Amino acid sequence: MQKESNAKKFGAYIDRTMKIIRHNYLQKFKELGVDLTTEQWVIMDILYGQAGLSQQDLATTSFKNAPTVSRIIDLLCKKKITERKPFANDRRKHKIFLTETGIALYQKLQPSVVELRKQGWQNLEEKDYTEFVRIIGQIYANYEEQ
Amino acid sequence: MQKESNAKKFGAYIDRTMKIIRHNYLQKFKELGVDLTTEQWVIMDILYGQAGLSQQDLATTSFKNAPTVSRIIDLLCKKKITERKPFANDRRKHKIFLTETGIALYQKLQPSVVELRKQGWQNLEEKDYTEFVRIIGQIYANYEEQ
DNA sequence: TGAATATATTTGCTATGGCAACTATTGCTA
DNA sequence: TAGCAATAGTTGCCATAGCAAATATATTCA
């Protein structure tokens, strides 16, 4: 069908897999009675490990753009999951924190998320992970501006 | 950091890679002076190979849902790239076709898309593709309802 | 210092995507 | 055949995402 390393169709695999992952996270959260999207979880997950990041930091870490992070933080603040605090030496910035509520919610959901990650890796080995990260990391690198 | 095949973090790799692929397609189309999104291209690509599919067929093939396909076809029809024709024996359905304009546009863009696919596979081998499809296919399967 | 630049965030516009509800039509079956 | 269930498509609502422009604040440099 195709010769050599030419014109491989990998986009559709990546697309459909990202969609089904999001779907499974969303379903799990709904099952647990929690109104949270997968992308909101991603932000919570980062903040749990690194409290007080700026929105720009969050954008970089989550591979989202600044407006998207701004809106996700808006929604999370409305739900009392995060809060914005002033940055000491720079009044342009906010430090973002999980609230008590946010931390409790994170800890409630975390085991299910670990289960979801395990589910995704069923029938796959440790060395498959190395391979997967190598290959998809190379694809990413191939598209980065030089 | 993590033991055995437990709790692998693969979602972020998939997410950022999908985003950078979309970005590169979009930039290339803009470079060529064509107002087209990556997802619109996906639909054109399917229709070029299989003219006259129903919207439901397109949804299944593209891993999109019916409302999304409906709206993409709306946009493509506005741009005179596709057209809806009645289905012979079922008045609920439409057959979707690329117009002359759509076919010409497809043929104009197609070589650049092949180049983009090649670019994504730089520094990767034939056997990497086999591995990649096996692993990401398994992840997908792990999340499908049984 | 003051002007030009750069950075952090927000807002507006549009597209994609998920879900639920709705319409129109078809198919099934009592 | 009448009624009901299933299917195809559309529409509405909201979240994510990309891009551009706007605002506020910081930094740099002449």
Side-chain angles (χ1 to χ4, degrees), chain A residues 2-25 39 45 62-64 114 116-129 131-145, chain B residues 2-25 39 45 62-64 114 116-129 131-145:
Chain A
Q2 295 164 142
K3 311 167 205 132
E4 304 299 322
S5 63
N6 285 347
K8 294 278 176 282
K9 283 194 169 186
F10 43 84
Y13 289 102
I14 298 175
D15 182 41
R16 71 171 192 173
T17 305
M18 196 61 230
K19 280 176 184 159
I20 206 168
I21 292 172
R22 286 215 183 86
H23 180 79
N24 273 257
Y25 273 63
E39 304 313 322
D45 196 19
S62 65
F63 307 106
K64 299 182 187 306
V114 171
L116 281 169
R117 289 183 185 140
K118 283 187 196 171
Q119 179 184 341
W121 212 255
Q122 280 165 21
N123 310 308
L124 292 167
E125 306 293 327
E126 192 69 26
K127 65 172 173 24
D128 293 328
Y129 188 68
E131 280 293 273
F132 183 72
V133 169
R134 175 180 68 81
I135 297 170
I136 202 165
Q138 183 64 57
I139 296 172
Y140 181 79
N142 288 338
Y143 284 120
E144 274 185 301
E145 345 266 339
Chain B
Q2 294 165 140
K3 311 166 204 131
E4 305 299 321
S5 64
N6 285 347
K8 294 277 176 285
K9 284 193 169 188
F10 43 85
Y13 290 102
I14 297 175
D15 182 41
R16 71 172 191 171
T17 305
M18 197 62 231
K19 280 175 182 157
I20 207 168
I21 292 171
R22 285 214 184 85
H23 180 78
N24 273 258
Y25 273 64
E39 304 312 321
D45 196 20
S62 65
F63 307 106
K64 299 183 188 305
V114 171
L116 281 168
R117 289 183 185 140
K118 283 186 194 170
Q119 179 183 341
W121 212 255
Q122 277 165 21
N123 309 307
L124 291 167
E125 306 293 327
E126 191 69 26
K127 67 173 171 24
D128 294 329
Y129 187 68
E131 279 294 272
F132 183 73
V133 169
R134 175 181 68 82
I135 298 170
I136 202 165
Q138 183 65 57
I139 297 172
Y140 182 80
N142 288 338
Y143 284 121
E144 275 185 302
E145 344 267 339

Side-chain angles (χ1 to χ4, degrees), chain B:
Chain B
M1 195 194 228
Q2 294 165 140
K3 311 166 204 131
E4 305 299 321
S5 64
N6 285 347
K8 294 277 176 285
K9 284 193 169 188
F10 43 85
Y13 290 102
I14 297 175
D15 182 41
R16 71 172 191 171
T17 305
M18 197 62 231
K19 280 175 182 157
I20 207 168
I21 292 171
R22 285 214 184 85
H23 180 78
N24 273 258
Y25 273 64
L26 207 57
Q27 285 312 111
K28 178 58 74 181
F29 295 156
K30 186 179 289 184
E31 222 176 280
L32 296 169
V34 176
D35 173 35
L36 196 76
T37 68
T38 310
E39 304 312 321
Q40 289 164 13
W41 167 262
V42 167
I43 296 296
M44 286 182 70
D45 196 20
I46 295 170
L47 286 175
Y48 190 80
Q50 300 171 263
L53 289 186
S54 71
Q55 295 187 189
Q56 188 51 57
D57 295 334
L58 280 170
T60 306
T61 308
S62 65
F63 307 106
K64 299 183 188 305
N65 56 23
T68 299
V69 169
S70 180
R71 283 156 182 145
I72 291 177
I73 298 297
D74 280 351
L75 290 171
L76 290 176
C77 286
K78 258 184 221 157
K79 298 192 227 182
K80 309 289 184 195
I81 290 172
T82 61
E83 51 188 343
R84 292 179 165 103
K85 292 188 180 175
F87 222 88
N89 308 316
D90 193 335
R91 286 193 297 167
R92 293 169 305 179
K93 290 189 183 181
H94 302 137
K95 281 176 184 276
I96 314 295
F97 293 89
L98 291 178
T99 61
E100 293 287 317
T101 311
I103 291 171
L105 181 61
Y106 180 89
Q107 291 170 345
K108 174 182 174 182
L109 298 181
Q110 211 258 350
S112 300
V113 170
V114 171
E115 279 314 304
L116 281 168
R117 289 183 185 140
K118 283 186 194 170
Q119 179 183 341
W121 212 255
Q122 277 165 21
N123 309 307
L124 291 167
E125 306 293 327
E126 191 69 26
K127 67 173 171 24
D128 294 329
Y129 187 68
T130 312
E131 279 294 272
F132 183 73
V133 169
R134 175 181 68 82
I135 298 170
I136 202 165
Q138 183 65 57
I139 297 172
Y140 182 80
N142 288 338
Y143 284 121
E144 275 185 302
E145 344 267 339
Q146 43 279 18

